[in-house]
Amino acid sequence: MVIELKIQKIIFGGFGLGEYEGVKVFVPYTCPEERLLVNIKEKKKHYWLGEIKEILEPSPFRIKPKCPIFTQCGGCDFLHIDYFYQLVLKKLIVNDSLQHLGKIFFPLKNPLPVLPFNYRNKVQMVIKKNKKVSIGYYKKNTHEVIENPDCLINPNIFNEIRNSFKQFLEENNFEIYDEKTQKGNLRFLVMRLGIKTDKILLIVVGKEYDKRIERFMDSLSPEIKNKIIGFLYNLNPLPKNRILSRDSIVIFGDPFYFEELLNKKFRISVNSFFQIHYEATKILLKRILELMVPEEDDIIFDLYSGVGVFSVILSPYVKEIIGVESEKSAYEDALFNKIINDCLNINFLLGRCEDVLSQLPKATKIILDPPRKGLSPIVIKELARILPQVILYVSCNPTTFVRDLKTLLTFNYEIETIELIDMFPQTYHIEILAKLIKK
Ligand SMILES: C[S@@+](CC[C@H](N)C(=O)[O-])C[C@H]1O[C@@H](n2cnc3c(N)ncnc32)[C@H](O)[C@@H]1O
């Protein structure tokens, strides 16, 4: 079935939304105000899914995507949209979530532009084999691997290593994992880069150790080889979606890399989280420092503290910081980062916020940066007990952010600011930073 449709807006998830005879229709790779002929692919109970058949009236912000595999590869959502308009759309997406999910009306500004390409400091690619080896990302909503030899959002060096690795696997006839039969071995190629330190952590994930992989380093150019701080083999035999297990063999160098931000140094281990875009992270950190207005007698909780970045940058200005992190490797990195940055007033705790918070005394200010699922009811309950003067909430998911914000506002807080940071250019994802103050 083909319909004519006008796109009203872009929603979180990257789809354009239009309405046809009262039914909501979602179409990817579109722009607001575009008039389209749309092929309806699927009719669900409350909405339809379509794809562009023909663009009748293009948006003035539509551009020719620079990537030949855009729309096949699931890595990017917005390559067809001028970068500055992407920033406007991200503001509108968050605005929409605030208004519709939270009945919250707060004037937002566009996020600042940042490096729009070659920005990712971490990449996780799938290895597959049909007749030939493929390495790339999954096609959207499928498990089909799309080859990405020249990915535009990766640093070029990731593409070079990926291409050499593919050749190495083909030449040496490695066994590749097959998701359906769960037979075979090699599964993922993971790379992480310290943007300031220019060092790479290289990780191959497989079901069992294949010693021949050690020779891969020899097939790299001396220039790339010099940049590799660690080469690991991660053993992941479980047929689940989780990419890395906690079990790595160090083939060469160290199981971590380093990054530098605002004159502080951070160790980041293979299993530890780190923000994905260097320049955007710098903006985030500077705004956290400004909005926190740290004072000498402040006791700050840094909840979901990762490798301790927020704690370390706030440490010189306050009395005490308590960081809580559940992932052991990130906690251990945080302990290391506390020492190398000379931040003796931080106390990092290993555990889930849900389990640890009730044992903690009061904080004057709290910073929260939970994973996508947001805050659990137990953590919310503890926040209601502690009632700090200031809450900074960092989120990468507008839906759970608005849900939590709505609850926090009922504890007598008001919004001082909600700001957006473009941590993930060319995708629909966006980082949110909000400051709440006690009335
Ligand atoms: C979005 S990251 C933020 C890390 C850090 N704030 C940063 O910017 O580098 C979320 C962190 O929360 C940790 N985490 C997830 N669930 C947790 C929980 N229930 N309690 C404590 N930490 C948790 C994850 O391991 C991860 O390091």
Side-chain angles (χ1 to χ4, degrees):
M1 175 183 179
V2 175
I3 60 167
E4 193 182 314
L5 192 73
K6 184 160 184 177
I7 299 299
Q8 297 160 358
K9 61 182 177 185
I10 305 292
I11 57 154
F12 188 65
F15 288 87
L17 168 65
E19 237 179 76
Y20 180 80
E21 296 180 351
V23 183
K24 286 188 166 44
V25 185
F26 295 99
V27 191
Y29 312 116
T30 54
C31 268
E33 303 302 322
E34 285 189 327
R35 221 162 47 80
L36 310 163
L37 284 185
V38 170
N39 249 331
I40 299 300
K41 303 291 287 178
E42 231 181 305
K43 287 187 177 178
K44 303 266 188 189
K45 199 166 167 202
H46 298 295
Y47 63 92
W48 295 351
L49 289 172
E51 68 179 16
I52 299 178
K53 181 173 159 54
E54 194 183 326
I55 301 174
L56 301 174
E57 269 172 35
S59 159
F61 301 105
R62 181 175 277 278
I63 56 170
K64 189 171 180 302
K66 284 186 184 163
C67 175
I69 56 165
F70 177 56
T71 75
Q72 293 170 55
C73 165
C76 296
D77 312 290
F78 286 168
L79 284 177
H80 63 296
I81 305 176
D82 174 83
Y83 180 56
F84 285 88
Y85 193 53
Q86 290 183 27
L87 301 174
V88 176
L89 290 181
K90 291 188 184 191
K91 174 182 71 182
L92 296 177
I93 288 171
V94 178
N95 202 34
D96 217 41
S97 304
L98 282 167
Q99 292 189 3
H100 287 106
L101 305 174
K103 303 277 170 278
I104 296 167
F105 298 87
F106 191 88
L108 298 175
K109 290 198 186 121
N110 296 341
L112 290 173
V114 292
L115 181 72
F117 291 107
N118 307 110
Y119 66 84
R120 290 191 66 102
N121 62 16
K122 176 181 177 182
V123 65
Q124 311 190 116
M125 294 185 195
V126 191
I127 309 171
K128 256 203 169 167
K129 191 170 182 178
N130 278 328
K131 284 195 180 85
K132 284 186 146 189
V133 174
S134 316
I135 304 182
Y137 302 131
Y138 286 129
K139 185 174 175 175
K140 233 180 195 166
N141 303 323
T142 74
H143 273 210
E144 187 186 332
V145 173
I146 305 293
E147 291 257 89
N148 59 353
D150 303 304
C151 177
L152 292 176
I153 55 172
N154 284 341
N156 288 333
I157 195 156
F158 282 178
N159 294 333
E160 286 175 44
I161 295 174
R162 177 245 173 240
N163 297 342
S164 305
F165 189 62
K166 179 176 153 144
Q167 195 182 345
F168 173 75
L169 294 188
E170 277 171 347
E171 283 169 4
N172 293 281
N173 206 17
F174 275 90
E175 272 195 58
I176 310 298
Y177 184 72
D178 179 337
E179 270 179 319
K180 285 199 190 106
T181 61
Q182 293 168 27
K183 295 213 167 83
N185 192 15
L186 301 186
R187 305 179 67 176
F188 305 102
L189 174 67
V190 178
M191 292 176 268
R192 304 188 70 170
L193 170 68
I195 300 290
K196 198 74 191 279
T197 54
D198 205 18
K199 293 283 180 194
I200 294 166
L201 189 61
L202 185 62
I203 306 127
V204 175
V205 185
K207 250 170 60 179
E208 54 202 37
Y209 192 51
D210 185 334
K211 210 174 153 33
R212 294 178 303 154
I213 210 85
E214 293 170 13
R215 295 204 312 266
F216 175 54
M217 289 286 282
D218 300 332
S219 57
L220 291 172
S221 70
E223 200 200 330
I224 295 184
K225 220 162 142 179
N226 270 337
K227 291 189 177 176
I228 296 192
I229 186 171
F231 180 27
L232 311 187
Y233 196 93
N234 183 269
L235 292 162
N236 189 357
L238 295 178
K240 293 206 174 141
N241 278 341
R242 202 184 169 108
I243 292 176
L244 292 168
S245 78
R246 292 204 168 74
D247 191 5
S248 288
I249 294 168
V250 179
I251 299 170
F252 161 84
D254 296 317
F256 47 73
Y257 72 102
F258 289 91
E259 185 56 282
E260 286 168 26
L261 277 156
L262 306 191
N263 295 320
K264 307 283 183 195
K265 195 163 182 175
F266 299 97
R267 184 184 89 177
I268 302 139
S269 292
V270 52
N271 291 104
S272 305
F273 171 90
F274 202 72
Q275 303 286 356
I276 210 87
H277 190 304
Y278 186 80
E279 194 188 349
T281 306
K282 246 165 70 178
I283 296 176
L284 174 68
L285 296 181
K286 283 187 178 156
R287 285 307 284 151
I288 287 173
L289 266 178
E290 285 160 4
L291 294 173
M292 191 63 105
V293 197
E295 290 161 316
E296 269 177 11
D297 54 355
D298 266 336
I299 298 175
I300 293 183
F301 292 174
D302 174 8
L303 304 182
Y304 311 89
S305 50
V307 302
V309 183
F310 302 165
S311 293
V312 166
I313 60 147
L314 288 164
S315 156
Y317 310 103
V318 300
K319 185 170 168 200
E320 189 186 341
I321 301 183
I322 298 178
V324 183
E325 167 60 44
S326 63
E327 173 67 52
K328 192 160 176 266
S329 82
Y331 161 75
E332 286 171 354
D333 287 336
L335 293 181
F336 187 92
N337 295 332
K338 159 184 161 169
I339 300 301
I340 58 170
N341 292 292
D342 201 15
C343 300
L344 301 181
N345 60 347
I346 312 175
N347 190 5
F348 285 113
L349 304 175
L350 174 62
R352 293 163 67 239
C353 293
E354 288 80 350
D355 304 326
V356 172
L357 266 176
S358 62
Q359 297 148 41
L360 298 184
K362 291 238 168 183
T364 51
K365 295 169 183 167
I366 290 186
I367 180 160
L368 304 154
D369 186 7
R372 300 182 57 74
K373 63 177 187 275
L375 305 176
S376 63
I378 301 178
V379 172
I380 297 255
K381 197 173 130 229
E382 285 302 319
L383 292 174
R385 171 185 68 83
I386 302 169
L387 290 179
Q389 292 154 24
V390 172
I391 297 178
L392 288 193
Y393 191 145
V394 182
S395 166
C396 59
N397 183 337
T399 311
T400 54
F401 166 73
V402 172
R403 179 200 67 197
D404 294 343
L405 181 63
K406 235 170 97 180
T407 314
L408 292 173
L409 290 176
T410 64
F411 305 149
N412 220 17
Y413 283 91
E414 63 187 1
I415 301 169
E416 185 181 295
T417 187
I418 302 177
E419 300 179 6
L420 307 177
I421 293 145
D422 196 19
M423 190 65 79
F424 319 92
Q426 317 305 335
T427 77
Y428 66 83
H429 294 283
I430 180 76
E431 195 82 358
I432 305 171
L433 169 62
K435 179 177 179 183
L436 308 183
I437 43 176
K438 209 153 103 215
K439 282 191 207 162

PDB file of all heavy atoms in Angstrom, residues 168-184:
ATOM      1  N   PHE A 168      43.353 -10.135   7.536  1.00  0.00           N
ATOM      2  CA  PHE A 168      44.079 -11.115   8.346  1.00  0.00           C
ATOM      3  C   PHE A 168      43.205 -12.360   8.599  1.00  0.00           C
ATOM      4  O   PHE A 168      43.673 -13.494   8.485  1.00  0.00           O
ATOM      5  CB  PHE A 168      44.480 -10.441   9.667  1.00  0.00           C
ATOM      6  CG  PHE A 168      45.098 -11.348  10.677  1.00  0.00           C
ATOM      7  CD1 PHE A 168      46.421 -11.792  10.527  1.00  0.00           C
ATOM      8  CD2 PHE A 168      44.387 -11.771  11.794  1.00  0.00           C
ATOM      9  CE1 PHE A 168      46.993 -12.633  11.477  1.00  0.00           C
ATOM     10  CE2 PHE A 168      44.952 -12.605  12.741  1.00  0.00           C
ATOM     11  CZ  PHE A 168      46.265 -13.034  12.581  1.00  0.00           C
ATOM     12  N   LEU A 169      41.926 -12.142   8.910  1.00  0.00           N
ATOM     13  CA  LEU A 169      41.033 -13.282   9.175  1.00  0.00           C
ATOM     14  C   LEU A 169      40.837 -14.117   7.919  1.00  0.00           C
ATOM     15  O   LEU A 169      40.838 -15.350   7.965  1.00  0.00           O
ATOM     16  CB  LEU A 169      39.661 -12.794   9.679  1.00  0.00           C
ATOM     17  CG  LEU A 169      39.609 -12.093  11.026  1.00  0.00           C
ATOM     18  CD1 LEU A 169      38.157 -11.857  11.446  1.00  0.00           C
ATOM     19  CD2 LEU A 169      40.328 -12.878  12.100  1.00  0.00           C
ATOM     20  N   GLU A 170      40.686 -13.435   6.789  1.00  0.00           N
ATOM     21  CA  GLU A 170      40.468 -14.157   5.525  1.00  0.00           C
ATOM     22  C   GLU A 170      41.706 -14.965   5.127  1.00  0.00           C
ATOM     23  O   GLU A 170      41.600 -16.129   4.757  1.00  0.00           O
ATOM     24  CB  GLU A 170      40.104 -13.176   4.412  1.00  0.00           C
ATOM     25  CG  GLU A 170      38.620 -12.839   4.434  1.00  0.00           C
ATOM     26  CD  GLU A 170      38.249 -11.709   3.495  1.00  0.00           C
ATOM     27  OE1 GLU A 170      39.155 -11.006   3.002  1.00  0.00           O
ATOM     28  OE2 GLU A 170      37.029 -11.520   3.282  1.00  0.00           O
ATOM     29  N   GLU A 171      42.860 -14.329   5.254  1.00  0.00           N
ATOM     30  CA  GLU A 171      44.096 -15.003   4.835  1.00  0.00           C
ATOM     31  C   GLU A 171      44.407 -16.218   5.700  1.00  0.00           C
ATOM     32  O   GLU A 171      45.029 -17.160   5.259  1.00  0.00           O
ATOM     33  CB  GLU A 171      45.271 -14.023   4.902  1.00  0.00           C
ATOM     34  CG  GLU A 171      45.270 -13.056   3.735  1.00  0.00           C
ATOM     35  CD  GLU A 171      46.268 -11.908   3.923  1.00  0.00           C
ATOM     36  OE1 GLU A 171      47.013 -11.903   4.929  1.00  0.00           O
ATOM     37  OE2 GLU A 171      46.265 -11.022   3.073  1.00  0.00           O
ATOM     38  N   ASN A 172      43.981 -16.151   6.956  1.00  0.00           N
ATOM     39  CA  ASN A 172      44.352 -17.234   7.874  1.00  0.00           C
ATOM     40  C   ASN A 172      43.206 -18.189   8.183  1.00  0.00           C
ATOM     41  O   ASN A 172      43.338 -19.059   9.047  1.00  0.00           O
ATOM     42  CB  ASN A 172      44.900 -16.645   9.164  1.00  0.00           C
ATOM     43  CG  ASN A 172      46.215 -15.952   8.935  1.00  0.00           C
ATOM     44  OD1 ASN A 172      47.243 -16.609   8.833  1.00  0.00           O
ATOM     45  ND2 ASN A 172      46.186 -14.635   8.793  1.00  0.00           N
ATOM     46  N   ASN A 173      42.105 -17.981   7.474  1.00  0.00           N
ATOM     47  CA  ASN A 173      40.983 -18.915   7.573  1.00  0.00           C
ATOM     48  C   ASN A 173      40.531 -19.180   9.021  1.00  0.00           C
ATOM     49  O   ASN A 173      40.409 -20.333   9.434  1.00  0.00           O
ATOM     50  CB  ASN A 173      41.411 -20.225   6.878  1.00  0.00           C
ATOM     51  CG  ASN A 173      40.216 -20.968   6.368  1.00  0.00           C
ATOM     52  OD1 ASN A 173      39.126 -20.383   6.243  1.00  0.00           O
ATOM     53  ND2 ASN A 173      40.376 -22.248   6.108  1.00  0.00           N
ATOM     54  N   PHE A 174      40.293 -18.120   9.737  1.00  0.00           N
ATOM     55  CA  PHE A 174      39.828 -18.255  11.125  1.00  0.00           C
ATOM     56  C   PHE A 174      38.382 -18.751  11.158  1.00  0.00           C
ATOM     57  O   PHE A 174      37.607 -18.485  10.240  1.00  0.00           O
ATOM     58  CB  PHE A 174      39.892 -16.897  11.834  1.00  0.00           C
ATOM     59  CG  PHE A 174      41.234 -16.589  12.403  1.00  0.00           C
ATOM     60  CD1 PHE A 174      42.189 -15.927  11.644  1.00  0.00           C
ATOM     61  CD2 PHE A 174      41.559 -16.978  13.695  1.00  0.00           C
ATOM     62  CE1 PHE A 174      43.437 -15.649  12.175  1.00  0.00           C
ATOM     63  CE2 PHE A 174      42.802 -16.696  14.226  1.00  0.00           C
ATOM     64  CZ  PHE A 174      43.743 -16.035  13.463  1.00  0.00           C
ATOM     65  N   GLU A 175      38.056 -19.433  12.230  1.00  0.00           N
ATOM     66  CA  GLU A 175      36.654 -19.849  12.421  1.00  0.00           C
ATOM     67  C   GLU A 175      35.858 -18.676  12.967  1.00  0.00           C
ATOM     68  O   GLU A 175      36.283 -18.033  13.937  1.00  0.00           O
ATOM     69  CB  GLU A 175      36.588 -20.969  13.452  1.00  0.00           C
ATOM     70  CG  GLU A 175      36.752 -22.329  12.846  1.00  0.00           C
ATOM     71  CD  GLU A 175      36.303 -23.369  13.839  1.00  0.00           C
ATOM     72  OE1 GLU A 175      35.135 -23.308  14.273  1.00  0.00           O
ATOM     73  OE2 GLU A 175      37.138 -24.203  14.190  1.00  0.00           O
ATOM     74  N   ILE A 176      34.719 -18.413  12.362  1.00  0.00           N
ATOM     75  CA  ILE A 176      33.888 -17.280  12.779  1.00  0.00           C
ATOM     76  C   ILE A 176      32.612 -17.816  13.425  1.00  0.00           C
ATOM     77  O   ILE A 176      32.035 -18.803  12.955  1.00  0.00           O
ATOM     78  CB  ILE A 176      33.530 -16.384  11.559  1.00  0.00           C
ATOM     79  CG1 ILE A 176      34.788 -16.017  10.752  1.00  0.00           C
ATOM     80  CG2 ILE A 176      32.755 -15.137  12.010  1.00  0.00           C
ATOM     81  CD1 ILE A 176      35.833 -15.212  11.481  1.00  0.00           C
ATOM     82  N   TYR A 177      32.161 -17.145  14.448  1.00  0.00           N
ATOM     83  CA  TYR A 177      30.985 -17.577  15.216  1.00  0.00           C
ATOM     84  C   TYR A 177      29.711 -17.457  14.378  1.00  0.00           C
ATOM     85  O   TYR A 177      29.539 -16.487  13.639  1.00  0.00           O
ATOM     86  CB  TYR A 177      30.878 -16.682  16.453  1.00  0.00           C
ATOM     87  CG  TYR A 177      29.776 -17.038  17.411  1.00  0.00           C
ATOM     88  CD1 TYR A 177      29.868 -18.173  18.212  1.00  0.00           C
ATOM     89  CD2 TYR A 177      28.658 -16.216  17.540  1.00  0.00           C
ATOM     90  CE1 TYR A 177      28.852 -18.477  19.109  1.00  0.00           C
ATOM     91  CE2 TYR A 177      27.642 -16.529  18.441  1.00  0.00           C
ATOM     92  CZ  TYR A 177      27.753 -17.663  19.223  1.00  0.00           C
ATOM     93  OH  TYR A 177      26.759 -17.959  20.115  1.00  0.00           O
ATOM     94  N   ASP A 178      28.847 -18.449  14.530  1.00  0.00           N
ATOM     95  CA  ASP A 178      27.551 -18.397  13.858  1.00  0.00           C
ATOM     96  C   ASP A 178      26.472 -18.342  14.955  1.00  0.00           C
ATOM     97  O   ASP A 178      26.318 -19.291  15.736  1.00  0.00           O
ATOM     98  CB  ASP A 178      27.384 -19.663  12.997  1.00  0.00           C
ATOM     99  CG  ASP A 178      26.044 -19.686  12.278  1.00  0.00           C
ATOM    100  OD1 ASP A 178      25.101 -19.013  12.750  1.00  0.00           O
ATOM    101  OD2 ASP A 178      25.943 -20.374  11.257  1.00  0.00           O
ATOM    102  N   GLU A 179      25.750 -17.205  14.999  1.00  0.00           N
ATOM    103  CA  GLU A 179      24.755 -17.008  16.068  1.00  0.00           C
ATOM    104  C   GLU A 179      23.704 -18.106  16.103  1.00  0.00           C
ATOM    105  O   GLU A 179      23.217 -18.479  17.166  1.00  0.00           O
ATOM    106  CB  GLU A 179      24.016 -15.696  15.819  1.00  0.00           C
ATOM    107  CG  GLU A 179      24.641 -14.506  16.452  1.00  0.00           C
ATOM    108  CD  GLU A 179      23.828 -13.274  16.109  1.00  0.00           C
ATOM    109  OE1 GLU A 179      23.383 -13.133  14.944  1.00  0.00           O
ATOM    110  OE2 GLU A 179      23.630 -12.467  17.007  1.00  0.00           O
ATOM    111  N   LYS A 180      23.315 -18.595  14.900  1.00  0.00           N
ATOM    112  CA  LYS A 180      22.202 -19.561  14.854  1.00  0.00           C
ATOM    113  C   LYS A 180      22.612 -20.896  15.453  1.00  0.00           C
ATOM    114  O   LYS A 180      21.934 -21.455  16.298  1.00  0.00           O
ATOM    115  CB  LYS A 180      21.751 -19.746  13.404  1.00  0.00           C
ATOM    116  CG  LYS A 180      20.958 -18.556  12.907  1.00  0.00           C
ATOM    117  CD  LYS A 180      20.130 -18.890  11.672  1.00  0.00           C
ATOM    118  CE  LYS A 180      19.570 -17.599  11.105  1.00  0.00           C
ATOM    119  NZ  LYS A 180      20.254 -17.173   9.878  1.00  0.00           N
ATOM    120  N   THR A 181      23.779 -21.419  14.995  1.00  0.00           N
ATOM    121  CA  THR A 181      24.205 -22.744  15.468  1.00  0.00           C
ATOM    122  C   THR A 181      25.046 -22.634  16.739  1.00  0.00           C
ATOM    123  O   THR A 181      25.293 -23.651  17.397  1.00  0.00           O
ATOM    124  CB  THR A 181      25.062 -23.431  14.390  1.00  0.00           C
ATOM    125  OG1 THR A 181      26.219 -22.595  14.169  1.00  0.00           O
ATOM    126  CG2 THR A 181      24.314 -23.591  13.077  1.00  0.00           C
ATOM    127  N   GLN A 182      25.481 -21.423  17.063  1.00  0.00           N
ATOM    128  CA  GLN A 182      26.396 -21.163  18.193  1.00  0.00           C
ATOM    129  C   GLN A 182      27.722 -21.905  18.041  1.00  0.00           C
ATOM    130  O   GLN A 182      28.419 -22.176  19.012  1.00  0.00           O
ATOM    131  CB  GLN A 182      25.728 -21.508  19.516  1.00  0.00           C
ATOM    132  CG  GLN A 182      24.578 -20.577  19.833  1.00  0.00           C
ATOM    133  CD  GLN A 182      23.716 -21.056  20.980  1.00  0.00           C
ATOM    134  OE1 GLN A 182      24.179 -21.761  21.855  1.00  0.00           O
ATOM    135  NE2 GLN A 182      22.462 -20.679  20.964  1.00  0.00           N
ATOM    136  N   LYS A 183      28.025 -22.271  16.776  1.00  0.00           N
ATOM    137  CA  LYS A 183      29.335 -22.903  16.517  1.00  0.00           C
ATOM    138  C   LYS A 183      30.287 -21.842  15.984  1.00  0.00           C
ATOM    139  O   LYS A 183      29.869 -20.739  15.637  1.00  0.00           O
ATOM    140  CB  LYS A 183      29.153 -24.021  15.481  1.00  0.00           C
ATOM    141  CG  LYS A 183      28.295 -25.170  15.985  1.00  0.00           C
ATOM    142  CD  LYS A 183      28.762 -26.493  15.380  1.00  0.00           C
ATOM    143  CE  LYS A 183      28.137 -27.662  16.103  1.00  0.00           C
ATOM    144  NZ  LYS A 183      26.764 -27.969  15.612  1.00  0.00           N
ATOM    145  N   GLY A 184      31.575 -22.193  15.872  1.00  0.00           N
ATOM    146  CA  GLY A 184      32.567 -21.232  15.394  1.00  0.00           C
ATOM    147  C   GLY A 184      33.149 -20.456  16.558  1.00  0.00           C
ATOM    148  O   GLY A 184      32.833 -20.742  17.721  1.00  0.00           O
TER     149      GLY A 184
END
